[in-house]
Amino acid sequence: MKELMRYIAASCISFTFSTIFYLFFSFHNVFPSLTEQIVVNMLVISIAIIVLIYLVHLSPLDNLYLLRLLELTSVLFVLVFAGRFFTIYPFTPYYTFFVVVIGILTYIVVIIVIFIGEQASASRINKVIQKRKMEGVNE
């Protein structure tokens, strides 16, 4: 269950930040204005990315760097393919470059937020363990 919640959290974080990055580039006239249809398409893309990352995690890879590279490759593949499929942006090298930048930035943000969350969780667990040890010593 914890693993499922991690994927859901990653999907929500990626959707939120990719939307923010899209808005930023839209305000700077790089992308078309954000519409309801684009938001729905971005949600579908976020879900597709998380499903593909889940499939990558099913592989027997032990190398963390290779796993991260496969995750990022999956993200970029889905973004470029889905961008073309949903015609979210004009499929030219100029726009594709910005889509790749958004994908990389969003991936980095998700990794950082997940890492910070896991560190906070580990810290809370360690405090509980330490408290129990201290209580055991005091008895």
Side-chain angles (χ1 to χ4, degrees):
M1 185 64 156
K2 181 182 177 186
E3 201 65 27
L4 175 64
M5 295 307 293
R6 186 175 181 203
Y7 285 107
I8 291 171
S11 184
C12 292
I13 295 165
S14 67
F15 174 72
T16 300
F17 279 94
S18 61
T19 303
I20 290 169
F21 290 135
Y22 187 97
L23 276 172
F24 173 80
F25 286 114
S26 176
F27 287 145
H28 289 87
N29 297 318
V30 173
F31 291 124
S33 296
L34 194 62
T35 64
E36 293 88 357
Q37 186 60 50
I38 290 175
V39 171
V40 170
N41 291 345
M42 289 175 72
L43 178 61
V44 170
I45 290 169
S46 292
I47 293 169
I49 288 170
I50 284 300
V51 168
L52 197 53
I53 287 176
Y54 171 76
L55 294 175
V56 166
H57 288 175
L58 291 178
S59 70
L61 292 173
D62 288 335
N63 186 325
L64 180 63
Y65 297 111
L66 184 57
L67 190 64
R68 295 287 185 224
L69 181 62
L70 280 173
E71 287 176 355
L72 183 57
T73 302
S74 300
V75 168
L76 298 180
F77 173 77
V78 171
L79 285 176
V80 171
F81 177 77
R84 176 77 169 143
F85 180 77
F86 289 123
T87 61
I88 293 176
Y89 60 89
F91 198 70
T92 65
Y94 175 78
Y95 292 104
T96 303
F97 169 78
F98 285 103
V99 168
V100 168
V101 168
I102 288 173
I104 292 170
L105 290 174
T106 302
Y107 180 78
I108 290 169
V109 167
V110 170
I111 293 298
I112 290 170
V113 170
I114 297 281
F115 177 77
I116 290 170
E118 287 178 354
Q119 291 295 350
S121 179
S123 178
R124 284 191 303 273
I125 291 169
N126 287 334
K127 285 180 183 176
V128 168
I129 292 170
Q130 189 65 27
K131 183 179 177 184
R132 287 186 183 169
K133 283 183 181 178
M134 294 303 289
E135 289 173 355
V137 169
N138 291 337
E139 290 180 2

